[in-house]
Amino acid sequence: MEGRRVEMSQIRKGPWKAEEDEMLINHVNKHGPRDWSSIRSKGLLQRTGKSCRLRWVNKLRPNLKNGCKFTAEEERMVIELQAEFGNKWAKIATYLPGRTDNDVKNFWSSRQKRLARILQKSGTPSSSSSSKLLKMKKEIPGFHDVPVEY
DNA sequence: AAGTCCTGCAACCGCAACTGG
DNA sequence: CCCAGTTGCGGTTGCAGGACT
């Protein structure tokens, strides 16, 4: 039996294909980075306006630092700005050329998890025996840039 | 060599904020 | 002013691929 019928919604979700990217870039080149929902109403793509905007802002826009890790300098800035503004990722991203709010958010989230792991390991003595989740045996990578509390 | 476990990232969701009719 | 549609934001999740056993 066929599981799901082909989406009645006719709205595509998930990873973007190269042709979709091309179509989106083309639209932005013609009309600028706006009118996102017209892309679907004109039948150019089966994506929601939200999805188009997100794709453009995070991956297609020119001058993005895609796929390269945050530098120590960028890391310092994020920490500092987060302390000042809180989780205002879009605002923080405006201080970091080539980085998006999603980049900053992901960076922060990963960092938080990393810190939590380290705390768990060094902090609570009893926890070391509890679950298999705690078998982070080897020393934490990048221990040098850890807390830096302010 | 082959699972299994983790991690990081792309993209989603819900709601808030804005816009124009 | 209200309402409907659109855009912006922050939190969250699913999964591909690397690390570990």
Side-chain angles (χ1 to χ4, degrees), chain A residues 50-115:
Chain A
K50 288 175 74 161
S51 182
C52 293
R53 179 188 159 277
L54 195 73
R55 183 65 182 170
W56 172 258
V57 167
N58 288 315
K59 304 306 292 183
L60 301 180
R61 221 166 36 152
N63 308 323
L64 288 178
K65 292 183 187 170
N66 261 9
C68 72
K69 294 173 56 172
F70 275 49
T71 64
E73 174 63 17
E74 287 175 319
E75 175 162 4
R76 262 180 247 120
M77 291 191 65
V78 173
I79 292 167
E80 190 175 312
L81 292 165
Q82 198 279 342
E84 182 173 1
F85 301 125
N87 297 358
K88 300 300 178 188
W89 310 123
K91 176 162 189 163
I92 291 170
T94 64
Y95 293 80
L96 301 168
R99 299 298 188 183
T100 71
D101 58 322
N102 213 37
D103 292 336
V104 176
K105 186 165 54 179
N106 281 334
F107 170 78
W108 188 260
S109 162
S110 290
R111 188 187 136 89
Q112 289 300 93
K113 285 175 187 169
R114 179 159 48 83
L115 261 45

Side-chain angles (χ1 to χ4, degrees), chain A residues 11-68:
Chain A
I11 293 198
R12 273 185 55 77
K13 295 203 277 196
W16 281 65
K17 297 253 199 301
E19 311 87 78
E20 295 181 296
D21 282 347
E22 201 182 341
M23 184 70 258
L24 180 52
I25 289 168
N26 193 37
H27 185 268
V28 171
N29 286 342
K30 282 202 191 85
H31 302 97
R34 55 180 168 277
D35 300 332
W36 303 112
S37 43
S38 78
I39 293 172
R40 192 166 103 80
S41 62
K42 286 194 269 193
L44 299 174
L45 288 174
Q46 300 294 73
R47 297 272 184 175
T48 63
K50 288 175 74 161
S51 182
C52 293
R53 179 188 159 277
L54 195 73
R55 183 65 182 170
W56 172 258
V57 167
N58 288 315
K59 304 306 292 183
L60 301 180
R61 221 166 36 152
N63 308 323
L64 288 178
K65 292 183 187 170
N66 261 9
C68 72

